[in-house]
Amino acid sequence: MIEKNKENDNKFEVFPFIKGDTIDLVVNNSKWLDLRTKWENDPEVRRYARNTWPRTVEELKKWTEPAPRGQIKEFINLVIYHKQDKRPIGTIGFGHIDWVNRNANIAAMIGEPEYWGKGIIGEASKLVIDYGFNELNFHKIYAGIYKPNERSLRAAEKLGFQKEGVLKEEQYVDGQYHDMHKFALFKRDWIKLNENE
Ligand SMILES: CC(C)(COP(=O)(O)OP(=O)(O)OC[C@H]1O[C@@H](n2cnc3c(N)ncnc32)[C@H](O)[C@@H]1OP(=O)(O)O)[C@@H](O)C(=O)NCCC(=O)NCCS
């Protein structure tokens, strides 16, 4: 799907990096910097994403810059673009990429809460996990989720992530310490889970 964003004066093309049904995963665009900064700082969104520090546009700008020459990329971030509504609604990608041991942390954020509860994270995660295992050749993808984030816990379990352990009282949120649940998914299990699709 290639289309012009007509609502924006600065017309630019939105093109998929990974194609989905309801959403595409598209490459970050500097024109979305303000919007992304809003998501990162939105009280409702950042509570679950555990963004405790304010994040500036300048900081986010650095995320869209390529790794300096000679340095390896440690994170990959894509924008979740709603095809029917023609708008970017969140981000998904990998952080702490360990290219030697071939593992990475998966992180996602739907920055527009009106799109929560519609199963979008399941679709976006499947696309990015396929990319991680089949293109980036990851061996293991992991996630850390703290207990009150029931949506993320449920989504991880549905995708086939297995619990590896619980870090007791790891996360301080809203005046309380919460346990951090560590989940992981191995490439061999992902292939097995999806071999009939
Ligand atoms: C967490 C987040 C990515 C989930 O995305 P989403 O598209 O809203 O997730 P879904 O609608 O697919 O919900 C996931 C599952 O949780 C279930 N769920 C929703 N609310 C729930 C609750 N209170 N308790 C238990 N399960 C719940 C849903 O029913 C769904 O399961 P189902 O498919 O079996 O019905 C999104 O809400 C978000 O971006 N939140 C803010 C940032 C964040 O938390 N990032 C993740 C940090 S680990």
Side-chain angles (χ1 to χ4, degrees):
M1 181 201 60
I2 298 180
E3 64 192 32
K4 294 265 187 198
N5 186 334
K6 295 199 178 76
E7 286 159 20
N8 195 322
D9 284 345
N10 305 313
K11 284 181 188 167
F12 62 95
E13 300 228 315
V14 175
F15 47 87
F17 180 69
I18 301 172
K19 284 185 182 176
D21 296 326
T22 311
I23 50 116
D24 280 337
L25 300 186
V26 309
V27 176
N28 248 321
N29 193 302
S30 58
K31 299 205 169 61
W32 291 332
L33 267 178
D34 286 347
L35 182 64
R36 294 199 51 203
T37 309
K38 182 193 89 149
W39 296 342
E40 295 286 336
N41 292 290
D42 181 306
E44 203 180 348
V45 180
R46 76 178 181 83
R47 173 171 181 255
Y48 289 116
R50 305 185 305 275
N51 294 351
T52 315
W53 302 101
R55 292 190 171 164
T56 63
V57 174
E58 287 70 29
E59 224 175 312
L60 263 86
K61 202 167 169 216
K62 293 207 181 98
W63 299 0
T64 60
E65 287 167 2
R69 211 175 149 79
Q71 281 184 26
I72 327 172
K73 218 169 170 45
E74 284 176 356
F75 64 88
I76 294 172
N77 195 258
L78 290 158
V79 169
I80 304 171
Y81 190 83
H82 197 282
K83 288 162 71 166
Q84 197 179 351
D85 296 354
K86 298 185 175 34
R87 61 185 284 207
I89 58 167
T91 61
I92 192 161
F94 299 110
H96 303 283
I97 301 174
D98 181 335
W99 294 108
V100 174
N101 297 303
R102 313 229 62 94
N103 60 55
N105 178 60
I106 183 169
M109 165 191 283
I110 297 181
E112 305 291 343
E114 67 191 270
Y115 288 88
W116 290 3
K118 295 179 189 296
I120 287 175
I121 211 55
E123 183 181 348
S125 300
K126 275 187 190 149
L127 296 174
V128 88
I129 291 169
D130 269 337
Y131 170 61
F133 285 140
N134 298 325
E135 290 194 60
L136 301 174
N137 192 24
F138 289 155
H139 173 62
K140 171 181 178 176
I141 295 172
Y142 61 87
I145 303 168
Y146 80 103
K147 189 75 175 138
N149 197 348
E150 297 287 355
R151 284 181 197 280
S152 287
L153 281 174
R154 175 88 188 108
E157 281 164 359
K158 269 185 85 176
L159 287 160
F161 281 77
Q162 300 288 324
K163 197 184 280 187
E164 289 200 309
V166 179
L167 304 181
K168 303 299 284 182
E169 300 182 25
E170 179 81 0
Q171 201 77 44
Y172 187 69
V173 186
D174 292 343
Q176 262 187 309
Y177 287 100
H178 294 277
D179 294 349
M180 172 68 73
H181 298 249
K182 301 291 281 184
F183 284 88
L185 180 63
F186 289 90
K187 182 174 181 174
R188 54 177 178 267
D189 295 328
W190 182 250
I191 292 170
K192 226 180 266 169
L193 279 169
N194 294 285
E195 61 195 358
N196 296 326
E197 283 190 11

